[in-house]
Amino acid sequence: MKRTSKGKHVLYLIAALGMLMYALPLISIRPEAGWVSIFGWVWAAFAFLVIGAHLHFLLGVDADKQRALDQVRKAKLQEWQKKWSQDTHRHQGVE
């Protein structure tokens, strides 16, 4: 199983929060601003997505799901190895 450091996600979360806190007062999200307003809304939405993704990882919401996927991956690997072993023995018997 691949292990990742939570420290990296904490750092990225703090960086994203800092950028959002700095940029929100500067972004023009007034309806009469036109394209500038659209850009501001989209940029803020992406920033919130990044923050949400890092919070999701840090809170471990998908830890059970990851364990289940790892079990499926191991079962498929064992099945593949068994099939490969049977094919190898069958071919060796033919030759």
PDB file of all heavy atoms in Angstrom, residues 67-94:
ATOM      1  N   ARG A  67      -9.004   0.665   1.927  1.00  0.00           N
ATOM      2  CA  ARG A  67      -8.737  -0.701   2.396  1.00  0.00           C
ATOM      3  C   ARG A  67      -9.472  -1.724   1.534  1.00  0.00           C
ATOM      4  O   ARG A  67      -8.925  -2.761   1.181  1.00  0.00           O
ATOM      5  CB  ARG A  67      -9.138  -0.847   3.863  1.00  0.00           C
ATOM      6  CG  ARG A  67      -8.059  -0.374   4.809  1.00  0.00           C
ATOM      7  CD  ARG A  67      -8.405  -0.742   6.252  1.00  0.00           C
ATOM      8  NE  ARG A  67      -8.185   0.457   7.038  1.00  0.00           N
ATOM      9  CZ  ARG A  67      -9.126   1.205   7.580  1.00  0.00           C
ATOM     10  NH1 ARG A  67     -10.380   0.877   7.487  1.00  0.00           N
ATOM     11  NH2 ARG A  67      -8.822   2.289   8.257  1.00  0.00           N
ATOM     12  N   ALA A  68     -10.719  -1.434   1.205  1.00  0.00           N
ATOM     13  CA  ALA A  68     -11.499  -2.346   0.366  1.00  0.00           C
ATOM     14  C   ALA A  68     -10.880  -2.472  -1.022  1.00  0.00           C
ATOM     15  O   ALA A  68     -10.777  -3.571  -1.571  1.00  0.00           O
ATOM     16  CB  ALA A  68     -12.944  -1.864   0.263  1.00  0.00           C
ATOM     17  N   LEU A  69     -10.440  -1.354  -1.592  1.00  0.00           N
ATOM     18  CA  LEU A  69      -9.789  -1.393  -2.904  1.00  0.00           C
ATOM     19  C   LEU A  69      -8.484  -2.168  -2.852  1.00  0.00           C
ATOM     20  O   LEU A  69      -8.149  -2.903  -3.796  1.00  0.00           O
ATOM     21  CB  LEU A  69      -9.542   0.026  -3.417  1.00  0.00           C
ATOM     22  CG  LEU A  69     -10.774   0.781  -3.884  1.00  0.00           C
ATOM     23  CD1 LEU A  69     -10.418   2.230  -4.204  1.00  0.00           C
ATOM     24  CD2 LEU A  69     -11.385   0.116  -5.097  1.00  0.00           C
ATOM     25  N   ASP A  70      -7.736  -2.030  -1.775  1.00  0.00           N
ATOM     26  CA  ASP A  70      -6.489  -2.781  -1.630  1.00  0.00           C
ATOM     27  C   ASP A  70      -6.755  -4.280  -1.560  1.00  0.00           C
ATOM     28  O   ASP A  70      -6.012  -5.075  -2.134  1.00  0.00           O
ATOM     29  CB  ASP A  70      -5.726  -2.325  -0.387  1.00  0.00           C
ATOM     30  CG  ASP A  70      -5.090  -0.961  -0.563  1.00  0.00           C
ATOM     31  OD1 ASP A  70      -4.919  -0.528  -1.722  1.00  0.00           O
ATOM     32  OD2 ASP A  70      -4.763  -0.328   0.460  1.00  0.00           O
ATOM     33  N   GLN A  71      -7.814  -4.682  -0.872  1.00  0.00           N
ATOM     34  CA  GLN A  71      -8.169  -6.100  -0.803  1.00  0.00           C
ATOM     35  C   GLN A  71      -8.546  -6.642  -2.176  1.00  0.00           C
ATOM     36  O   GLN A  71      -8.144  -7.739  -2.554  1.00  0.00           O
ATOM     37  CB  GLN A  71      -9.313  -6.315   0.186  1.00  0.00           C
ATOM     38  CG  GLN A  71      -8.911  -6.155   1.627  1.00  0.00           C
ATOM     39  CD  GLN A  71     -10.092  -6.307   2.580  1.00  0.00           C
ATOM     40  OE1 GLN A  71     -11.244  -6.275   2.160  1.00  0.00           O
ATOM     41  NE2 GLN A  71      -9.797  -6.462   3.855  1.00  0.00           N
ATOM     42  N   VAL A  72      -9.311  -5.871  -2.928  1.00  0.00           N
ATOM     43  CA  VAL A  72      -9.689  -6.289  -4.282  1.00  0.00           C
ATOM     44  C   VAL A  72      -8.451  -6.399  -5.157  1.00  0.00           C
ATOM     45  O   VAL A  72      -8.295  -7.364  -5.921  1.00  0.00           O
ATOM     46  CB  VAL A  72     -10.709  -5.295  -4.893  1.00  0.00           C
ATOM     47  CG1 VAL A  72     -10.901  -5.546  -6.374  1.00  0.00           C
ATOM     48  CG2 VAL A  72     -12.027  -5.364  -4.149  1.00  0.00           C
ATOM     49  N   ARG A  73      -7.548  -5.434  -5.032  1.00  0.00           N
ATOM     50  CA  ARG A  73      -6.315  -5.445  -5.818  1.00  0.00           C
ATOM     51  C   ARG A  73      -5.463  -6.681  -5.495  1.00  0.00           C
ATOM     52  O   ARG A  73      -4.940  -7.335  -6.393  1.00  0.00           O
ATOM     53  CB  ARG A  73      -5.528  -4.156  -5.524  1.00  0.00           C
ATOM     54  CG  ARG A  73      -4.579  -3.761  -6.622  1.00  0.00           C
ATOM     55  CD  ARG A  73      -3.973  -2.386  -6.368  1.00  0.00           C
ATOM     56  NE  ARG A  73      -4.971  -1.351  -6.538  1.00  0.00           N
ATOM     57  CZ  ARG A  73      -5.273  -0.423  -5.629  1.00  0.00           C
ATOM     58  NH1 ARG A  73      -4.660  -0.394  -4.466  1.00  0.00           N
ATOM     59  NH2 ARG A  73      -6.189   0.485  -5.876  1.00  0.00           N
ATOM     60  N   LYS A  74      -5.362  -7.026  -4.216  1.00  0.00           N
ATOM     61  CA  LYS A  74      -4.593  -8.213  -3.819  1.00  0.00           C
ATOM     62  C   LYS A  74      -5.235  -9.480  -4.355  1.00  0.00           C
ATOM     63  O   LYS A  74      -4.547 -10.387  -4.820  1.00  0.00           O
ATOM     64  CB  LYS A  74      -4.483  -8.290  -2.289  1.00  0.00           C
ATOM     65  CG  LYS A  74      -3.503  -7.323  -1.704  1.00  0.00           C
ATOM     66  CD  LYS A  74      -3.466  -7.448  -0.192  1.00  0.00           C
ATOM     67  CE  LYS A  74      -2.578  -6.411   0.436  1.00  0.00           C
ATOM     68  NZ  LYS A  74      -2.556  -6.496   1.901  1.00  0.00           N
ATOM     69  N   ALA A  75      -6.566  -9.570  -4.291  1.00  0.00           N
ATOM     70  CA  ALA A  75      -7.273 -10.753  -4.782  1.00  0.00           C
ATOM     71  C   ALA A  75      -7.071 -10.914  -6.283  1.00  0.00           C
ATOM     72  O   ALA A  75      -6.825 -12.020  -6.774  1.00  0.00           O
ATOM     73  CB  ALA A  75      -8.754 -10.657  -4.452  1.00  0.00           C
ATOM     74  N   LYS A  76      -7.135  -9.817  -7.023  1.00  0.00           N
ATOM     75  CA  LYS A  76      -6.922  -9.884  -8.473  1.00  0.00           C
ATOM     76  C   LYS A  76      -5.491 -10.287  -8.797  1.00  0.00           C
ATOM     77  O   LYS A  76      -5.256 -11.049  -9.738  1.00  0.00           O
ATOM     78  CB  LYS A  76      -7.262  -8.547  -9.127  1.00  0.00           C
ATOM     79  CG  LYS A  76      -8.737  -8.292  -9.226  1.00  0.00           C
ATOM     80  CD  LYS A  76      -9.018  -7.088 -10.081  1.00  0.00           C
ATOM     81  CE  LYS A  76     -10.502  -6.876 -10.178  1.00  0.00           C
ATOM     82  NZ  LYS A  76     -11.016  -7.150 -11.497  1.00  0.00           N
ATOM     83  N   LEU A  77      -4.535  -9.784  -8.034  1.00  0.00           N
ATOM     84  CA  LEU A  77      -3.139 -10.146  -8.253  1.00  0.00           C
ATOM     85  C   LEU A  77      -2.927 -11.636  -8.003  1.00  0.00           C
ATOM     86  O   LEU A  77      -2.266 -12.323  -8.793  1.00  0.00           O
ATOM     87  CB  LEU A  77      -2.214  -9.331  -7.348  1.00  0.00           C
ATOM     88  CG  LEU A  77      -0.730  -9.638  -7.445  1.00  0.00           C
ATOM     89  CD1 LEU A  77      -0.203  -9.350  -8.847  1.00  0.00           C
ATOM     90  CD2 LEU A  77       0.043  -8.847  -6.409  1.00  0.00           C
ATOM     91  N   GLN A  78      -3.501 -12.148  -6.929  1.00  0.00           N
ATOM     92  CA  GLN A  78      -3.378 -13.583  -6.636  1.00  0.00           C
ATOM     93  C   GLN A  78      -4.034 -14.422  -7.729  1.00  0.00           C
ATOM     94  O   GLN A  78      -3.493 -15.449  -8.151  1.00  0.00           O
ATOM     95  CB  GLN A  78      -3.993 -13.899  -5.277  1.00  0.00           C
ATOM     96  CG  GLN A  78      -3.183 -13.376  -4.115  1.00  0.00           C
ATOM     97  CD  GLN A  78      -3.882 -13.574  -2.782  1.00  0.00           C
ATOM     98  OE1 GLN A  78      -5.066 -13.936  -2.742  1.00  0.00           O
ATOM     99  NE2 GLN A  78      -3.169 -13.338  -1.699  1.00  0.00           N
ATOM    100  N   GLU A  79      -5.188 -13.976  -8.208  1.00  0.00           N
ATOM    101  CA  GLU A  79      -5.873 -14.697  -9.284  1.00  0.00           C
ATOM    102  C   GLU A  79      -5.026 -14.707 -10.554  1.00  0.00           C
ATOM    103  O   GLU A  79      -4.882 -15.723 -11.217  1.00  0.00           O
ATOM    104  CB  GLU A  79      -7.224 -14.027  -9.548  1.00  0.00           C
ATOM    105  CG  GLU A  79      -8.056 -14.686 -10.612  1.00  0.00           C
ATOM    106  CD  GLU A  79      -9.360 -13.938 -10.842  1.00  0.00           C
ATOM    107  OE1 GLU A  79      -9.946 -13.435  -9.858  1.00  0.00           O
ATOM    108  OE2 GLU A  79      -9.784 -13.862 -11.993  1.00  0.00           O
ATOM    109  N   TRP A  80      -4.449 -13.563 -10.877  1.00  0.00           N
ATOM    110  CA  TRP A  80      -3.599 -13.459 -12.065  1.00  0.00           C
ATOM    111  C   TRP A  80      -2.360 -14.345 -11.931  1.00  0.00           C
ATOM    112  O   TRP A  80      -1.976 -15.028 -12.876  1.00  0.00           O
ATOM    113  CB  TRP A  80      -3.192 -12.004 -12.285  1.00  0.00           C
ATOM    114  CG  TRP A  80      -2.318 -11.825 -13.478  1.00  0.00           C
ATOM    115  CD1 TRP A  80      -2.706 -11.727 -14.774  1.00  0.00           C
ATOM    116  CD2 TRP A  80      -0.896 -11.738 -13.481  1.00  0.00           C
ATOM    117  NE1 TRP A  80      -1.612 -11.574 -15.582  1.00  0.00           N
ATOM    118  CE2 TRP A  80      -0.480 -11.583 -14.808  1.00  0.00           C
ATOM    119  CE3 TRP A  80       0.076 -11.773 -12.483  1.00  0.00           C
ATOM    120  CZ2 TRP A  80       0.852 -11.472 -15.169  1.00  0.00           C
ATOM    121  CZ3 TRP A  80       1.399 -11.654 -12.846  1.00  0.00           C
ATOM    122  CH2 TRP A  80       1.777 -11.511 -14.167  1.00  0.00           C
ATOM    123  N   GLN A  81      -1.744 -14.344 -10.746  1.00  0.00           N
ATOM    124  CA  GLN A  81      -0.559 -15.176 -10.531  1.00  0.00           C
ATOM    125  C   GLN A  81      -0.899 -16.658 -10.641  1.00  0.00           C
ATOM    126  O   GLN A  81      -0.136 -17.440 -11.213  1.00  0.00           O
ATOM    127  CB  GLN A  81       0.059 -14.876  -9.166  1.00  0.00           C
ATOM    128  CG  GLN A  81       0.772 -13.552  -9.105  1.00  0.00           C
ATOM    129  CD  GLN A  81       1.252 -13.212  -7.707  1.00  0.00           C
ATOM    130  OE1 GLN A  81       0.763 -13.731  -6.716  1.00  0.00           O
ATOM    131  NE2 GLN A  81       2.233 -12.313  -7.642  1.00  0.00           N
ATOM    132  N   LYS A  82      -2.048 -17.058 -10.109  1.00  0.00           N
ATOM    133  CA  LYS A  82      -2.469 -18.449 -10.186  1.00  0.00           C
ATOM    134  C   LYS A  82      -2.697 -18.852 -11.637  1.00  0.00           C
ATOM    135  O   LYS A  82      -2.246 -19.916 -12.079  1.00  0.00           O
ATOM    136  CB  LYS A  82      -3.752 -18.651  -9.369  1.00  0.00           C
ATOM    137  CG  LYS A  82      -4.241 -20.067  -9.324  1.00  0.00           C
ATOM    138  CD  LYS A  82      -5.490 -20.173  -8.470  1.00  0.00           C
ATOM    139  CE  LYS A  82      -6.037 -21.583  -8.501  1.00  0.00           C
ATOM    140  NZ  LYS A  82      -7.279 -21.679  -7.728  1.00  0.00           N
ATOM    141  N   LYS A  83      -3.371 -18.000 -12.394  1.00  0.00           N
ATOM    142  CA  LYS A  83      -3.630 -18.279 -13.808  1.00  0.00           C
ATOM    143  C   LYS A  83      -2.328 -18.351 -14.586  1.00  0.00           C
ATOM    144  O   LYS A  83      -2.128 -19.239 -15.409  1.00  0.00           O
ATOM    145  CB  LYS A  83      -4.550 -17.222 -14.405  1.00  0.00           C
ATOM    146  CG  LYS A  83      -4.919 -17.492 -15.835  1.00  0.00           C
ATOM    147  CD  LYS A  83      -5.812 -16.423 -16.399  1.00  0.00           C
ATOM    148  CE  LYS A  83      -6.071 -16.741 -17.865  1.00  0.00           C
ATOM    149  NZ  LYS A  83      -6.682 -15.665 -18.564  1.00  0.00           N
ATOM    150  N   TRP A  84      -1.428 -17.432 -14.343  1.00  0.00           N
ATOM    151  CA  TRP A  84      -0.137 -17.407 -15.035  1.00  0.00           C
ATOM    152  C   TRP A  84       0.661 -18.664 -14.714  1.00  0.00           C
ATOM    153  O   TRP A  84       1.277 -19.261 -15.591  1.00  0.00           O
ATOM    154  CB  TRP A  84       0.659 -16.161 -14.633  1.00  0.00           C
ATOM    155  CG  TRP A  84       1.943 -16.026 -15.361  1.00  0.00           C
ATOM    156  CD1 TRP A  84       2.128 -15.587 -16.627  1.00  0.00           C
ATOM    157  CD2 TRP A  84       3.241 -16.345 -14.862  1.00  0.00           C
ATOM    158  NE1 TRP A  84       3.448 -15.602 -16.951  1.00  0.00           N
ATOM    159  CE2 TRP A  84       4.164 -16.074 -15.875  1.00  0.00           C
ATOM    160  CE3 TRP A  84       3.706 -16.838 -13.648  1.00  0.00           C
ATOM    161  CZ2 TRP A  84       5.523 -16.280 -15.723  1.00  0.00           C
ATOM    162  CZ3 TRP A  84       5.057 -17.040 -13.491  1.00  0.00           C
ATOM    163  CH2 TRP A  84       5.954 -16.767 -14.522  1.00  0.00           C
ATOM    164  N   SER A  85       0.620 -19.080 -13.451  1.00  0.00           N
ATOM    165  CA  SER A  85       1.331 -20.288 -13.042  1.00  0.00           C
ATOM    166  C   SER A  85       0.752 -21.515 -13.746  1.00  0.00           C
ATOM    167  O   SER A  85       1.490 -22.378 -14.223  1.00  0.00           O
ATOM    168  CB  SER A  85       1.240 -20.447 -11.528  1.00  0.00           C
ATOM    169  OG  SER A  85       1.847 -21.635 -11.117  1.00  0.00           O
ATOM    170  N   GLN A  86      -0.574 -21.598 -13.831  1.00  0.00           N
ATOM    171  CA  GLN A  86      -1.210 -22.726 -14.507  1.00  0.00           C
ATOM    172  C   GLN A  86      -0.868 -22.735 -15.998  1.00  0.00           C
ATOM    173  O   GLN A  86      -0.578 -23.779 -16.566  1.00  0.00           O
ATOM    174  CB  GLN A  86      -2.725 -22.673 -14.315  1.00  0.00           C
ATOM    175  CG  GLN A  86      -3.174 -22.991 -12.915  1.00  0.00           C
ATOM    176  CD  GLN A  86      -4.659 -22.753 -12.710  1.00  0.00           C
ATOM    177  OE1 GLN A  86      -5.335 -22.185 -13.563  1.00  0.00           O
ATOM    178  NE2 GLN A  86      -5.166 -23.180 -11.560  1.00  0.00           N
ATOM    179  N   ASP A  87      -0.889 -21.567 -16.629  1.00  0.00           N
ATOM    180  CA  ASP A  87      -0.539 -21.468 -18.048  1.00  0.00           C
ATOM    181  C   ASP A  87       0.907 -21.866 -18.280  1.00  0.00           C
ATOM    182  O   ASP A  87       1.222 -22.555 -19.253  1.00  0.00           O
ATOM    183  CB  ASP A  87      -0.776 -20.049 -18.572  1.00  0.00           C
ATOM    184  CG  ASP A  87      -2.248 -19.714 -18.714  1.00  0.00           C
ATOM    185  OD1 ASP A  87      -3.080 -20.656 -18.673  1.00  0.00           O
ATOM    186  OD2 ASP A  87      -2.575 -18.515 -18.856  1.00  0.00           O
ATOM    187  N   THR A  88       1.790 -21.456 -17.381  1.00  0.00           N
ATOM    188  CA  THR A  88       3.211 -21.779 -17.514  1.00  0.00           C
ATOM    189  C   THR A  88       3.429 -23.282 -17.387  1.00  0.00           C
ATOM    190  O   THR A  88       4.139 -23.876 -18.190  1.00  0.00           O
ATOM    191  CB  THR A  88       4.026 -21.041 -16.445  1.00  0.00           C
ATOM    192  OG1 THR A  88       3.801 -19.646 -16.557  1.00  0.00           O
ATOM    193  CG2 THR A  88       5.509 -21.318 -16.613  1.00  0.00           C
ATOM    194  N   HIS A  89       2.775 -23.910 -16.427  1.00  0.00           N
ATOM    195  CA  HIS A  89       2.918 -25.372 -16.248  1.00  0.00           C
ATOM    196  C   HIS A  89       2.331 -26.130 -17.438  1.00  0.00           C
ATOM    197  O   HIS A  89       2.883 -27.125 -17.868  1.00  0.00           O
ATOM    198  CB  HIS A  89       2.242 -25.821 -14.953  1.00  0.00           C
ATOM    199  CG  HIS A  89       2.954 -25.382 -13.715  1.00  0.00           C
ATOM    200  ND1 HIS A  89       4.291 -25.580 -13.501  1.00  0.00           N
ATOM    201  CD2 HIS A  89       2.504 -24.724 -12.609  1.00  0.00           C
ATOM    202  CE1 HIS A  89       4.648 -25.072 -12.339  1.00  0.00           C
ATOM    203  NE2 HIS A  89       3.574 -24.537 -11.764  1.00  0.00           N
ATOM    204  N   ARG A  90       1.225 -25.633 -17.974  1.00  0.00           N
ATOM    205  CA  ARG A  90       0.583 -26.276 -19.114  1.00  0.00           C
ATOM    206  C   ARG A  90       1.504 -26.216 -20.345  1.00  0.00           C
ATOM    207  O   ARG A  90       1.684 -27.199 -21.049  1.00  0.00           O
ATOM    208  CB  ARG A  90      -0.751 -25.615 -19.425  1.00  0.00           C
ATOM    209  CG  ARG A  90      -1.566 -26.403 -20.409  1.00  0.00           C
ATOM    210  CD  ARG A  90      -2.996 -25.885 -20.624  1.00  0.00           C
ATOM    211  NE  ARG A  90      -3.427 -24.888 -19.670  1.00  0.00           N
ATOM    212  CZ  ARG A  90      -3.979 -23.724 -20.012  1.00  0.00           C
ATOM    213  NH1 ARG A  90      -4.171 -23.426 -21.267  1.00  0.00           N
ATOM    214  NH2 ARG A  90      -4.364 -22.878 -19.108  1.00  0.00           N
ATOM    215  N   HIS A  91       2.122 -25.062 -20.576  1.00  0.00           N
ATOM    216  CA  HIS A  91       3.018 -24.885 -21.714  1.00  0.00           C
ATOM    217  C   HIS A  91       4.294 -25.700 -21.554  1.00  0.00           C
ATOM    218  O   HIS A  91       4.842 -26.199 -22.520  1.00  0.00           O
ATOM    219  CB  HIS A  91       3.348 -23.417 -21.946  1.00  0.00           C
ATOM    220  CG  HIS A  91       2.204 -22.610 -22.473  1.00  0.00           C
ATOM    221  ND1 HIS A  91       1.380 -23.048 -23.479  1.00  0.00           N
ATOM    222  CD2 HIS A  91       1.723 -21.394 -22.117  1.00  0.00           C
ATOM    223  CE1 HIS A  91       0.454 -22.141 -23.725  1.00  0.00           C
ATOM    224  NE2 HIS A  91       0.626 -21.117 -22.897  1.00  0.00           N
ATOM    225  N   GLN A  92       4.755 -25.825 -20.339  1.00  0.00           N
ATOM    226  CA  GLN A  92       5.971 -26.614 -20.107  1.00  0.00           C
ATOM    227  C   GLN A  92       5.687 -28.083 -20.344  1.00  0.00           C
ATOM    228  O   GLN A  92       6.550 -28.817 -20.824  1.00  0.00           O
ATOM    229  CB  GLN A  92       6.481 -26.396 -18.681  1.00  0.00           C
ATOM    230  CG  GLN A  92       7.110 -25.047 -18.478  1.00  0.00           C
ATOM    231  CD  GLN A  92       7.531 -24.800 -17.022  1.00  0.00           C
ATOM    232  OE1 GLN A  92       7.200 -25.592 -16.147  1.00  0.00           O
ATOM    233  NE2 GLN A  92       8.223 -23.708 -16.810  1.00  0.00           N
ATOM    234  N   GLY A  93       4.507 -28.555 -20.053  1.00  0.00           N
ATOM    235  CA  GLY A  93       4.143 -29.948 -20.263  1.00  0.00           C
ATOM    236  C   GLY A  93       3.994 -30.272 -21.744  1.00  0.00           C
ATOM    237  O   GLY A  93       4.253 -31.379 -22.171  1.00  0.00           O
ATOM    238  N   VAL A  94       3.611 -29.280 -22.563  1.00  0.00           N
ATOM    239  CA  VAL A  94       3.410 -29.488 -23.985  1.00  0.00           C
ATOM    240  C   VAL A  94       4.726 -29.581 -24.704  1.00  0.00           C
ATOM    241  O   VAL A  94       4.906 -30.358 -25.627  1.00  0.00           O
ATOM    242  CB  VAL A  94       2.538 -28.341 -24.584  1.00  0.00           C
ATOM    243  CG1 VAL A  94       2.467 -28.440 -26.098  1.00  0.00           C
ATOM    244  CG2 VAL A  94       1.160 -28.391 -23.981  1.00  0.00           C
TER     245      VAL A  94
END
